[in-house]
Amino acid sequence: METVANLTRKEQVIRSAAQLFREKGYAASSMRDLAQKLGIEAASLYSHIKSKEEILQSLCFDMATEFRKSLEEVEKQKLSPSERLRKGIIGHIQVMAKDLTASAVFMNEHRHLSQPFLRDFLLLRINYINRFKSMIEDGIRTGQFKESIDKKLAVMTLFSSLNWMPMWYDPKSDIDPTELGQQLSDMLVNGLKKN
């Protein structure tokens, strides 16, 4: 993670806003709160950003880009469906671990985006989830995964498990994000495999 000294003023504003949105929620956070957190006048904020929603858009769409890039790296590799799914899970965890605060905002506060941004965000999210669902379908089709699996249940279980990470993961713990991703992928992928 970058140090605050290496960030532009706009990036510092966005990072502080992410912390504020995570602590108080987007709706309960004001520009005045953000200015106070940064130790500047509220009017000064507007030289760096247009609005509170611009910050939320930046956080949500930047995270979506990171998740997409991670998955594209996995999809480029010639791997079996179970290995693709395993690496996709590890990549997802690594992206989240890079910035747990932004990840928490991405997961919980996106619903406050206005249209058309909310629609665009949800389409990106559906596309991302469907790519994992395709890996599960490929695993069933190739005989690696059980045929009896409900694909929607499998993918929702997968994301329910992964997306809680910002709430419980402590970056100071003994387990690093790659190891955590490997453990989670073992649990989730092994549950789909044929005996």
Side-chain angles (χ1 to χ4, degrees), residues 22 97 100 164-177 180:
R22 185 178 187 182
L100 289 169
W164 272 97
M165 184 192 157
M167 303 307 158
W168 58 263
Y169 178 67
D170 179 0
K172 296 179 202 109
S173 72
D174 290 339
I175 186 166
D176 76 351
L180 176 65

Side-chain angles (χ1 to χ4, degrees), residues 38-151:
L38 288 160
I40 61 174
E41 294 292 318
S44 302
L45 274 176
Y46 293 101
S47 63
H48 303 288
I49 47 135
K50 294 185 195 99
S51 65
K52 186 171 86 162
E53 185 168 354
E54 181 191 9
I55 297 169
L56 185 61
Q57 288 168 13
S58 178
L59 285 164
C60 289
F61 286 95
D62 288 353
M63 285 298 297
T65 299
E66 291 301 310
F67 284 119
R68 191 194 77 241
K69 282 183 192 170
S70 171
L71 190 55
E72 284 172 353
E73 284 303 309
V74 171
E75 290 171 334
K76 283 180 196 172
Q77 300 172 43
K78 300 239 184 292
L79 300 167
S80 69
S82 65
E83 267 312 295
R84 258 196 342 265
L85 184 58
R86 190 177 299 282
K87 287 189 179 282
I89 289 168
I90 293 168
H92 187 89
I93 291 293
Q94 288 173 327
V95 169
M96 290 180 92
K98 269 193 247 174
D99 192 339
L100 289 169
T101 301
S103 294
V105 171
F106 173 87
M107 296 300 162
N108 302 315
E109 304 300 326
H110 68 271
R111 65 187 184 279
H112 296 290
L113 290 167
S114 64
Q115 295 296 359
F117 302 103
L118 179 59
R119 183 200 64 227
D120 294 345
F121 176 82
L122 292 175
L123 287 171
L124 288 172
R125 194 162 126 168
I126 289 165
N127 174 268
Y128 182 75
I129 290 169
N130 281 341
R131 287 156 77 179
F132 277 85
K133 189 176 172 204
S134 290
M135 291 180 209
I136 293 168
E137 289 167 345
D138 289 347
I140 293 169
R141 195 175 58 254
T142 59
Q144 286 189 296
F145 297 155
K146 300 170 197 157
E147 287 131 29
S148 60
I149 287 170
D150 181 305
K151 295 177 283 278

